């Protein structure tokens, strides 16, 4: 199982970056994919998620600036980041999560995977 995040780098405030998360080793289409970030000295926080069916959710801090999308044929999820701010500086991680129901009583189990991070630095 592997989640590979890429696309980070140094960008000026107001600029754009596109992050990619490529998955292998599991049934990608079953999983919700999320992007999380962790800035120096801060806790990890959720940025955006996309469900297996394509429903998206965003943190208030990135709404209108970031767009998450997925391509199940390529096992990839992208995070398009526009109008970047210095406070977006962080290590960005992708996460895959699925819940499988195993019987009619509703018993289930979860699977979750994390990728390594990719650093985004926004200079002001």
């Amino acid at each position: 199982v592997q989640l590979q995040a890429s696309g980070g780098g140094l960008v000026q405030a107001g600029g754009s970056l596109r992050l990619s998360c490529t998955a292998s080793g599991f049934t990608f289409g079953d999983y919700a994919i999320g992007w999380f970030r962790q800035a120096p000295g801060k806790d990890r926080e959720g940025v955006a998620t996309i469900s297996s069916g394509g429903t998206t959710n965003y943190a208030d801090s990135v709404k209108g600036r970031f767009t998450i999308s997925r391509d199940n044929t390529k096992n990839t999820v992208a995070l398009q980041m526009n109008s970047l701010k210095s406070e977006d500086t962080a290590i960005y991680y992708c996460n895959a999560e699925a819940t499988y129901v195993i019987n009619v009583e509703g018993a289930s189990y979860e699977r979750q995977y994390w990728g390594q991070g990719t650093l985004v630095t926004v200079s002001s």
Side-chain angles (χ1 to χ4, degrees):
V1 172
Q2 189 173 18
L3 283 175
Q4 183 76 31
S6 62
L10 174 64
V11 64
Q12 289 188 332
S16 298
L17 278 176
R18 185 176 179 87
L19 305 183
S20 291
C21 177
T22 303
S24 61
F26 60 95
T27 308
F28 183 77
D30 288 352
Y31 284 70
I33 306 297
W35 283 98
F36 294 74
R37 66 187 181 187
Q38 187 165 19
K42 295 188 177 181
D43 293 335
R44 189 174 296 189
E45 63 174 357
V47 175
T49 60
I50 185 165
S51 71
S52 58
T55 300
T56 58
N57 280 288
Y58 298 91
D60 288 343
S61 59
V62 307
K63 280 181 181 176
R65 301 188 297 122
F66 290 11
T67 302
I68 189 171
S69 60
R70 68 188 297 159
D71 184 342
N72 288 346
T73 66
K74 297 181 179 178
N75 285 7
T76 59
V77 169
L79 184 69
Q80 178 65 41
M81 306 187 296
N82 299 327
S83 302
L84 283 161
K85 305 175 182 179
S86 57
E87 51 262 46
D88 295 318
T89 294
I91 299 174
Y92 284 70
Y93 301 88
C94 56
N95 165 275
E97 184 173 329
T99 300
Y100 291 95
V101 177
I102 59 176
N103 63 32
V104 294
E105 285 79 26
S108 63
Y109 65 93
E110 293 184 353
R111 289 287 182 268
Q112 183 173 172
Y113 307 111
W114 287 93
Q116 95 295 350
T118 186
L119 176 63
V120 172
T121 304
V122 183
S123 63
S124 56

